[in-house]
Amino acid sequence: MTSVAIVTGASSGIGAATARRLAAEGFHVLAAARRTDRLAGLVKEIEAAGGTATAVACDVTSDESVAGLAAAAQAAPGPVTLLVNNAGGARGLDPVESGAIGDWQWMYDVNVLGTLRVTQALLPALEASGAGTIVIVSSTAGFTVYEGGGGYTAAKHAQTAIAGTLRLELCGRPIRVIEIDPGMVRTDEFGLVRFDGDADKAAATYAGVPEPLVAEDVADCIAWCATRPHHVNVDRLVVRPLAQAAQHKVHRVGQ
Ligand SMILES: NC(=O)c1ccc[n+]([C@@H]2O[C@H](COP(=O)([O-])OP(=O)(O)OC[C@H]3O[C@@H](n4cnc5c(N)ncnc54)[C@H](OP(=O)(O)O)[C@@H]3O)[C@@H](O)[C@H]2O)c1
């Protein structure tokens, strides 16, 4: 029977690439996000490539919406073996001194409480499969702080704490917990969301960086971890572009 993978934040960037990749690996993918028009396009793309997927409208900040995702999982055509908690992002690059409470609230709601809410809702199905996997897409910001990143790093540290705690609490049950920590990934929307639609500021993040990671690189890491034999638990995978030795140490050409 086909295994089912759920990917949150599948309407763009890393989530969309992960949905495509997992479908190519043979999963039936439940692609979840708020923008259903984009999900419909993604499902068509996956089907054209020979895979199968279902679009599920889901706002990870809403109990009711996430209950709908759990219901869709129950109706899916196979056991739910994989959940990829990917929905998230950054807002603002302000110092703690002047950071907007609303930006911090948004980052906490989507990255942290969204991961918590979706994980709680899907745990019974993952356990019932007998071989469940939970992936949490945190970030290198989950273990390093940087100036202007207070709100985002706080949220990603919290996601990292969820991953570690959950792995301890689920020990002895058939669910592994994998944390993926990407460094700089050039996706279409991450910077636009962070800088409130300012394309110049978003582009400046990657200026001169020879080859930042792209969404498919992270999808490749997620797929590799998720397709190891089930007794192999990659606790945490840190992945950065070659040009980024550390958060503060980025090689930029011509800068
Ligand atoms: N890009 C990077 O450099 C980078 C580095 C490390 C970690 N990450 C992490 O990787 C993940 C994906 O990032 P990305 O670069 O692919 O960003 P992105 O292109 O902006 O994708 C974010 C996704 O999250 C979804 N989302 C936002 N709010 C949501 C909500 N309330 N409910 C459901 N879905 C929601 C968006 O879909 P809708 O708007 O359609 O709902 C979108 O599909 C994030 O957790 C991010 O923090 C990114």
Side-chain angles (χ1 to χ4, degrees), residues 8-16 32-39 58-62 65 85-90 106 109-111 137-141 152 156 159 180-193 205-206 213 215 218 239:
T8 67
S11 61
S12 65
I14 293 168
R34 293 168 303 174
R35 287 171 295 171
T36 48
D37 53 331
R38 299 188 64 137
L39 294 178
C58 179
D59 179 345
V60 300
T61 68
S62 153
S65 189
N85 283 296
N86 165 76
W106 182 87
D109 279 348
V110 180
N111 293 283
V137 181
S138 181
S139 169
T140 50
Y152 185 58
K156 288 303 187 185
Q159 265 187 298
I180 305 288
D181 293 328
M184 182 183 281
V185 190
R186 189 179 53 212
T187 55
D188 292 340
E189 298 190 1
F190 182 85
L192 288 177
V193 172
T205 308
Y206 312 105
L213 296 178
V218 182
V239 54

Side-chain angles (χ1 to χ4, degrees), residues 4 12 15-16 27 36 49 59 66 68 79 141 182 216 231 235 237 243 247:
V4 174
S12 65
F27 287 92
T36 48
D59 179 345
V66 170
E216 287 71 20
H231 68 283
D235 281 6
L237 190 153
Q247 217 79 348

